[in-house]
Amino acid sequence: MSHLQLQLHSQAPSLSSSSSTSSRFSFLKLFTNNAFSYSPTNSLPFKPLTIRCRHSDVFETTTNPSSTPNNPSVGALPPRVYVGHSIYKGKAALTITPRPPEFMPLDSGAYKISRDGYVLLQFAPSVGPRQYDWNRKQVFSLSVDEMGSVISLGAKGSCEFFHDPYMGKSDEGKVRKVLKVEPFSDGSGFFFNLSVQNKLVNVEESITLPVTKAELSVLSAIFKYIMPYLLGWHTFADSINPEYSVAAASVASNANPKYGGDYEWNR
């Protein structure tokens, strides 16, 4: 694998020779697969610090303008991408947009999920032919489990979700949101009805949107695709380093001959 070696030089007065500098620092490797690692000489070789440029939503990176390719579409992705899907009907419109999970750093330098992602449903009433009042929109955050309930609906199935944004707080009970999904009488689709009672701003709204069987199939496909990402599983998969995993297992095995990994078939 081709790589570029950059020697780090210290500005400290006590390190006056290049030999003393190299004794305290190793080299920086810049790999062609958009990842780099820095390994101190005294650290274990199987535990590199790796930053992948694909994770622009987790790490803020600085790009040298001189190294930026002439064609920005090659090997580069925008730091933020906004997507959504909308259903427009005569009396209302529905737009769904994903919201990513939240991560928190650990003392070890790793990250863990602090909050799962969700899909935001936005309902807007109609004010005329193909016109919707988005200033009066009502929102409902659909969790991964709630998406599973929608996906598993049969032709005659129904489900209902209740949300109180201030649950466990001083304003508990002042905002009540209920989303009902109920089937058409002929089984060709479902009614999505969102009822909101907000005593904080004296607003009471009920918006109903008919969703055909085909439109529900599209929603289900979107939910199935995005669910692992809302749970952060993609970040775990991208962070798997075979070299580190093999080396770590080898060290643990040498330290403890009975070590066999956390596998059910080894118990």
Side-chain angles (χ1 to χ4, degrees):
M1 177 185 299
S2 61
H3 61 270
L4 175 64
Q5 296 182 355
L6 301 177
Q7 183 68 42
L8 299 177
H9 295 277
S10 174
Q11 300 295 331
S14 60
L15 301 180
S16 58
S17 65
S18 59
S19 60
S20 61
T21 302
S22 60
S23 66
R24 298 184 60 128
F25 297 91
S26 65
F27 51 82
L28 179 69
K29 295 182 179 180
L30 182 62
F31 297 96
T32 57
N33 62 348
N34 290 335
F36 65 85
S37 63
Y38 164 65
S39 298
T41 307
N42 297 329
S43 63
L44 295 177
F46 61 86
K47 191 175 181 181
L49 173 63
T50 302
I51 297 180
R52 298 177 182 272
C53 297
R54 295 175 55 190
H55 293 217
S56 58
D57 57 335
V58 178
F59 300 98
E60 297 292 334
T61 58
T62 303
T63 303
N64 186 351
S66 62
S67 63
T68 304
N70 295 329
N71 185 357
S73 64
V74 178
L77 292 175
R80 291 290 184 269
V81 176
Y82 298 97
V83 296
H85 177 69
S86 300
I87 300 176
Y88 299 99
K89 295 299 172 74
K91 295 184 178 180
L94 168 63
T95 294
I96 65 171
T97 53
R99 292 292 185 266
E102 297 178 4
F103 297 85
M104 64 178 297
L106 302 177
D107 294 339
S108 63
Y111 288 84
K112 68 175 292 186
I113 290 284
S114 60
R115 181 183 180 186
D116 291 342
Y118 57 92
V119 169
L120 185 67
L121 307 183
Q122 301 182 70
F123 294 80
S126 173
V127 293
R130 299 183 181 180
Q131 295 181 355
Y132 304 91
D133 188 354
W134 292 101
N135 292 324
R136 291 173 51 200
K137 71 180 180 181
Q138 297 295 338
V139 300
F140 194 91
S141 300
L142 206 62
S143 68
V144 171
D145 289 338
E146 291 167 340
M147 282 186 278
S149 297
V150 175
I151 293 172
S152 61
L153 282 175
K156 295 293 184 179
S158 64
C159 55
E160 180 176 331
F161 312 114
F162 168 76
H163 285 186
D164 183 345
Y166 298 98
M167 183 73 70
K169 302 179 181 178
S170 59
D171 288 330
E172 180 176 348
K174 294 183 179 180
V175 178
R176 175 185 174 90
K177 297 184 179 183
V178 178
L179 177 63
K180 294 182 180 179
V181 182
E182 299 176 317
F184 294 169
S185 57
D186 60 359
S188 62
F190 295 85
F191 289 109
F192 279 58
N193 174 261
L194 176 62
S195 299
V196 177
Q197 294 179 339
N198 191 333
K199 298 180 181 179
L200 298 176
V201 294
N202 296 322
V203 169
E204 186 169 345
E205 187 91 56
S206 180
I207 303 176
T208 300
L209 183 91
V211 176
T212 66
K213 195 174 182 179
E215 290 167 337
L216 185 66
S217 296
V218 174
L219 294 182
S220 297
I222 293 174
F223 292 165
K224 290 179 181 178
Y225 176 83
I226 200 64
M227 285 169 68
Y229 293 86
L230 300 180
L231 294 173
W233 284 57
H234 64 298
T235 56
F236 169 76
D238 289 345
S239 69
I240 295 176
N241 187 327
E243 180 182 357
Y244 169 76
S245 300
V246 172
S250 176
V251 171
S253 179
N254 293 333
N256 184 3
K258 295 182 179 180
Y259 174 82
D262 190 16
Y263 304 116
E264 183 179 357
W265 51 85
N266 286 334
R267 297 175 181 173

